[in-house]
Amino acid sequence: MKDRVYIRDLKDHTGKEVVIAGWVDVRRDQGKMVFFDMRDMTGKVQCVALPSRAEVIEKAKTIRPEWVLKITGNVNKRPLKNVKEGVLNGDVELEVTGIEVLNESETPPFAVNEDTSGVNEELRLKYRYVDLRTDRMQKNIRNRHRVLKFIRDFLSNEGFIEVETPILTKSTPEGSRDFVVPARLYPGKFYALPQSPQQYKQLLMTGGVEKYFQIARCMRDEDTRGDRQPEFTQLDLEMSFVEMEDVMQVNEKLFIELVQKLYPEKKIQQIPFPRIPHKEAMEKYGVDKPDIRKDKNDPNLLAFCWIVDWPFFEKTEEGGWTFTHNPFSRPLPEHLDWLMKKENIEKIYTTQYDIILNGSEVGGGSIRNHNGPALEKVFEIMGHKIENIRKNFGHMMTAFSLGTPPHGGIAWGFDRFFMILQNEINIREVIPFAKTGEGRDPMMDSPSEISDEQLKELKIKLSK
Ligand code: ASP
């Protein structure tokens, strides 16, 4: 829009006529005058229509909240007694000289000029595009961008490159159920959506990338979701020629700098972050993600800790073994021999490190097995048949036989980490287009049925 001034910058135009554009926040009729607040992506300003401009005041009386307007007006200093200290445009207002209605709006399903945390969530998610206009949601969405940008810049400076990995992929054991996509060209076959980029990022290490990261979308089809989302965002990274401390230290540096630069009001309880062995955490706190905050009522206190020395395997209900974190992990060097001999299985510790923040797990990773026989042993211990291991993970074995460097990495549950930074209590508040706790999207109405033609094309028959 020609000559448009952003509301944040109005002060620089005091005494001049400007054009702004945005939404009507509230309207207040006061006797002969009409006041209304206008809002754009940069902030709000009070507009006033004076009785001396008959045409303007007539139009001002018709406008309603959430209408989209282009306003021409003079930026005036407010009389001293009306100045609002510490508020954007608290000392100026716009004397309206012209109103152009760009679009009208029905009465919104809930008030936009108030915090919507008390509004029915189904309704908020159905009209998410309206919800996103509120102050709090604008802050969440804009700070999300700033945090992601900080991460991208930091990691780029550390020599990492961002690489996109496929979304249409193959089932990978990440401890959850896969979402699958039927492959029309291969009737009866399915792609799986990634539970994480785990295998691809390891293969990038074989590919000589050495330092990879990705802001990666992950999909997991879980039964009881609670505060989980079927799709969520990870900061995923992987590095070659590293040991546990190398990965932990670069992440710790990133956490610290990010908090200090973007959330200066917050303080980190302890630097370097304490490293607590899993056994000690269980004995001392009774949980594997301890909340070690000295003051749990301080909204600005961030207590990070690393949990290390995790058991590699745990018993399944059927009496077999399963991995506790990640089947691709390498045991601690001193336990590798046990793995290879399949001895003392309950005593084998993995190189896993989890990062805990205020009692929430916000990430985890490990050093990986970079040779075939060790990976094969992990799956053998879990009772997989050798043919199946080769069928499912043959590509990893082959890659490992073709010059894969030692490597390790981590993934942050980005939404949860960011939720804590924003002092929100549920991740749906920080995911722009979140699904309900039951995994539905009330706005798009998904999941939804597909047509008979689509099913036919896919050669899929539904059983009743
Ligand atoms: N891929 C793992 C996960 O999604 C994280 C990692 O070990 O890097 O939990």
Side-chain angles (χ1 to χ4, degrees):
M1 188 177 288
K2 202 169 163 282
D3 298 329
R4 177 184 175 201
V5 171
Y6 289 111
I7 288 177
R8 179 187 48 210
D9 303 327
L10 282 175
K11 223 181 147 181
D12 307 338
H13 299 262
T14 309
K16 297 199 190 104
E17 189 175 65
V18 295
V19 173
I20 64 165
W23 291 261
V24 177
D25 198 56
V26 280
R27 197 194 79 188
R28 296 176 290 272
D29 289 8
Q30 259 173 34
K32 296 201 173 76
M33 296 200 278
V34 175
F35 291 92
F36 56 97
D37 289 350
M38 283 292 290
R39 180 181 73 233
D40 71 9
M41 65 172 180
T42 66
K44 295 178 191 179
V45 66
Q46 171 165 280
C47 301
V48 49
L50 299 173
S52 51
R53 296 179 202 275
E55 205 184 308
V56 168
I57 201 132
E58 276 318 300
K59 218 171 199 169
K61 280 186 177 156
T62 66
I63 63 173
R64 295 283 177 274
E66 300 317 308
W67 283 29
V68 187
L69 308 181
K70 175 181 170 185
I71 304 270
T72 316
N74 299 316
V75 184
N76 292 342
K77 277 216 167 85
R78 288 197 193 190
L80 216 52
K81 63 175 178 19
N82 292 345
V83 168
K84 283 192 190 144
E85 292 289 350
V87 178
L88 176 74
N89 294 323
D91 50 355
V92 293
E93 62 186 9
L94 200 65
E95 181 199 331
V96 182
T97 54
I99 298 177
E100 184 185 331
V101 177
L102 301 176
N103 208 351
E104 298 184 1
S105 169
E106 303 283 343
T107 304
F110 40 81
V112 176
N113 61 344
E114 286 166 16
D115 191 301
T116 49
S117 36
V119 174
N120 175 289
E121 197 181 25
E122 184 90 15
L123 195 67
R124 286 179 61 200
L125 290 172
K126 178 159 182 185
Y127 298 98
R128 189 59 143 187
Y129 41 84
V130 176
D131 193 31
L132 288 177
R133 286 186 208 151
T134 61
D135 276 352
R136 187 170 55 91
M137 295 305 280
Q138 282 279 313
K139 270 192 204 118
N140 287 349
I141 206 172
R142 288 178 191 282
N143 282 350
R144 188 174 173 118
H145 161 74
R146 291 170 67 217
V147 171
L148 286 174
K149 178 168 186 323
F150 188 94
I151 291 172
R152 286 196 158 101
D153 291 345
F154 176 96
L155 290 174
S156 304
N157 287 335
E158 294 277 334
F160 287 78
I161 59 165
E162 184 165 14
V163 182
E164 292 159 279
T165 54
I167 294 291
L168 292 178
T169 169
K170 190 180 152 143
S171 197
T172 156
E174 212 80 39
S176 194
R177 208 174 275 121
D178 292 312
F179 280 105
V180 293
V181 179
R184 181 183 57 85
L185 297 177
Y186 302 91
K189 296 201 171 168
F190 297 83
Y191 298 100
L193 302 181
Q195 293 189 33
S196 89
Q198 182 68 34
Q199 295 187 54
Y200 287 107
K201 70 171 170 175
Q202 291 193 242
L203 296 171
L204 285 171
M205 297 303 106
T206 314
V209 168
E210 289 200 34
K211 285 179 160 189
Y212 142 93
F213 82 99
Q214 182 177 196
I215 309 296
R217 204 68 67 75
C218 304
M219 277 62 82
R220 296 183 189 180
D221 187 3
E222 313 210 40
D223 275 337
T224 46
R225 293 200 186 87
D227 190 24
R228 294 186 178 201
Q229 287 274 299
E231 62 178 297
F232 58 96
T233 300
Q234 285 187 344
L235 161 61
D236 191 44
L237 71 82
E238 198 75 8
M239 306 163 75
S240 292
F241 306 106
V242 286
E243 289 167 12
M244 292 171 67
E245 273 298 326
D246 300 308
V247 183
M248 291 156 80
Q249 277 169 27
V250 75
N251 278 274
E252 191 160 322
K253 186 168 170 228
L254 171 52
F255 279 121
I256 294 168
E257 286 190 18
L258 192 162
V259 169
Q260 290 175 343
K261 294 261 163 59
L262 300 185
Y263 294 85
E265 71 282 10
K266 299 208 179 272
K267 52 188 182 300
I268 298 175
Q269 180 165 288
Q270 195 181 334
I271 294 174
F273 304 165
R275 280 125 172 95
I276 307 174
H278 173 255
K279 191 163 178 280
E280 184 187 322
M282 293 309 287
E283 282 165 7
K284 211 162 145 191
Y285 305 97
V287 282
D288 56 15
K289 36 185 180 194
D291 187 348
I292 58 167
R293 273 177 297 175
K294 295 212 172 88
D295 176 2
K296 294 200 174 74
N297 296 317
D298 181 350
N300 286 328
L301 185 60
L302 298 176
F304 289 93
C305 62
W306 293 100
I307 305 294
V308 294
D309 295 345
W310 293 82
F312 201 130
F313 299 99
E314 62 189 6
K315 281 260 176 227
T316 60
E317 278 169 16
E318 297 79 37
W321 292 103
T322 185
F323 58 89
T324 61
H325 279 84
N326 191 330
F328 296 102
S329 299
R330 196 167 179 77
L332 290 182
E334 60 271 32
H335 295 170
L336 186 60
D337 203 39
W338 287 341
L339 177 81
M340 297 314 288
K341 293 186 181 140
K342 299 198 266 178
E343 276 175 15
N344 295 326
I345 292 169
E346 70 287 354
K347 290 195 199 141
I348 302 175
Y349 282 173
T350 148
T351 49
Q352 178 78 24
Y353 29 79
D354 273 10
I355 179 77
I356 311 299
L357 171 56
N358 295 0
S360 283
E361 183 199 325
V362 292
S366 63
I367 302 302
R368 326 297 182 184
N369 272 325
H370 60 279
N371 58 343
L375 182 62
E376 231 170 59
K377 287 289 178 256
V378 172
F379 285 102
E380 276 177 33
I381 288 174
M382 297 191 300
H384 293 234
K385 294 220 173 62
I386 199 83
E387 319 78 82
N388 283 342
I389 303 172
R390 299 222 164 112
K391 181 165 158 253
N392 290 327
F393 302 107
H395 57 289
M396 298 300 282
M397 307 292 180
T398 308
F400 290 171
S401 74
L402 283 164
T404 297
H407 61 281
I410 194 169
W412 302 8
F414 179 79
D415 308 289
R416 178 148 299 124
F417 170 62
F418 179 63
M419 166 191 104
I420 297 170
L421 290 180
Q422 291 294 106
N423 291 333
E424 291 285 5
I425 52 168
N426 126 18
I427 58 170
R428 299 187 291 279
E429 300 294 333
V430 297
I431 297 177
F433 293 104
K435 294 185 174 56
T436 64
E438 300 81 47
R440 281 178 301 105
D441 177 346
M443 180 182 71
M444 302 294 272
D445 186 24
S446 87
S448 58
E449 282 152 7
I450 58 174
S451 68
D452 287 343
E453 288 87 273
Q454 278 175 300
L455 285 173
K456 217 165 131 195
E457 233 172 28
L458 295 168
K459 303 207 166 42
I460 291 181
K461 272 208 189 86
L462 299 178
S463 60
K464 288 273 146 60

